[in-house]
Amino acid sequence: MMLAQLPRLYLSSFAKPSFYLTSSHFNLINPKPPVTIARTIISFASKSNLATVEPIPLPVSDSTDLDDAPVEISLDKLFIPPETDISGEDPASLTTRILKGSNIVLSKYARDAQVVQADYVKSSVRTEDCPADGLPEFALVGRSNVGKSSLLNSLVRRKRLALTSKKPGKTQCINHFRINDKWYLVDLPGYGYASAPHELKQDWNKFTKDYFLNRSTLVSVFLLVDASIPVKQIDLEYASWLGQNQVPMTMIFTKCDKRKKKKNGGKKPEENIKEFQDLIQGFFETTPPWIMTSSVTNQGRDEILLHMAQLRNYWLKH
Ligand code: GDP
């Protein structure tokens, strides 16, 4: 089926953007004045030599501490959705089109993002047993304790529903939740649970990987990474596997409200996020989309839903 191949096609069609730049990763110093942004965009529009392009300040969520500088990002680290042209864009309006606390530019497909209905559908142990109605879906995956249930709860705003996949027997399943009768949120087993026997862990990997590779309606994996702690090897391995297998991926950085330096190994969420991105950039041809979130403050909730909406609407149209 043609639709089935689209997520991967869509990824590869953006593998080599025409404006590929060579500048630093997003940095965390004070934002440059607006003129800097203007210079950046003009350079981009004219396709001149962009090797020294300045970073663009990103809007950050209202919930971040006031004493923290806004995150900056360079143009080549933005995620530009398909069929989105920013070349003629006014710098100020481009900044407003970047989702807060993320590297994601909004496209014309960002609509119908609200969750008005959410229903638990089923728990499957094999990809073949998953719902067969062809609706697009997004899979949430991450290390145990990363905050996956809390995020799911925040997205659907129904605590009990989100707890469904924590019930005995379901933690190792592919759990489908139908949203607005139009698309699915899929809760996958957490990985890296310290006390799980080695062989069981292997099994989880096997069936989760099978799901990633063979689930034709999977629009994007949402890989959750705890931004309040230093980078973990197992998360890097997961991200690298997804990148190398060209599985479309969005990184969701969780617990971004935890900003007490000492408790978090001396680093702020932004620093852990930057380190993570630096370590995985070799696995991807272009920077994957990422969003900073907190289930405590609801930071990133609307941004995740808008990003899902634009990916989903594009997927449905093609
Ligand atoms: P799961 O195992 O990935 O489903 O993780 P949970 O959602 O059960 O969360 C694990 C722990 O992290 C719980 O104690 C949560 O209260 C806490 N937690 C989850 N999300 C956040 C967050 O955004 N901020 C903070 N500060 N704690 C969180």
Side-chain angles (χ1 to χ4, degrees), residues 114-244:
Q114 302 89 335
V115 172
V116 289
Q117 194 188 339
D119 303 292
Y120 166 70
V121 176
K122 72 183 291 197
S123 300
S124 318
V125 288
R126 299 180 313 165
T127 312
E128 308 89 273
D129 301 331
C130 293
D133 51 17
L135 295 177
E137 63 192 41
F138 300 93
L140 305 180
V141 69
R143 215 165 33 79
S144 302
N145 219 38
V146 69
K148 188 156 55 70
S149 308
S150 307
L151 185 82
L152 185 60
N153 175 31
S154 143
L155 289 176
V156 301
R157 292 203 201 277
R158 280 178 59 191
K159 202 166 190 171
R160 284 194 165 203
L161 192 77
L163 287 176
T164 310
S165 38
K166 282 219 156 177
K167 285 184 182 160
K170 294 189 175 165
T171 53
Q172 297 164 41
C173 292
I174 306 169
N175 298 298
H176 275 79
F177 299 89
R178 195 170 47 232
I179 310 297
N180 304 344
D181 276 334
K182 286 190 174 151
W183 55 281
Y184 289 109
L185 266 175
V186 182
D187 191 9
L188 294 176
Y191 56 79
Y193 185 54
S195 59
H198 185 64
E199 277 179 25
L200 189 57
K201 276 202 276 179
Q202 292 287 333
D203 255 11
W204 293 351
N205 286 342
K206 204 169 147 226
F207 94 64
T208 314
K209 284 177 181 172
D210 179 74
Y211 167 86
F212 290 146
L213 295 175
N214 298 313
R215 182 67 172 159
S216 60
T217 49
L218 177 62
V219 179
S220 178
V221 173
F222 278 56
L223 177 64
L224 275 58
V225 175
D226 188 339
S228 74
I229 55 170
V231 174
K232 294 257 187 211
Q233 184 64 25
I234 193 162
D235 292 330
L236 292 173
E237 284 168 14
Y238 232 90
S240 100
W241 187 90
L242 291 169
Q244 280 159 9

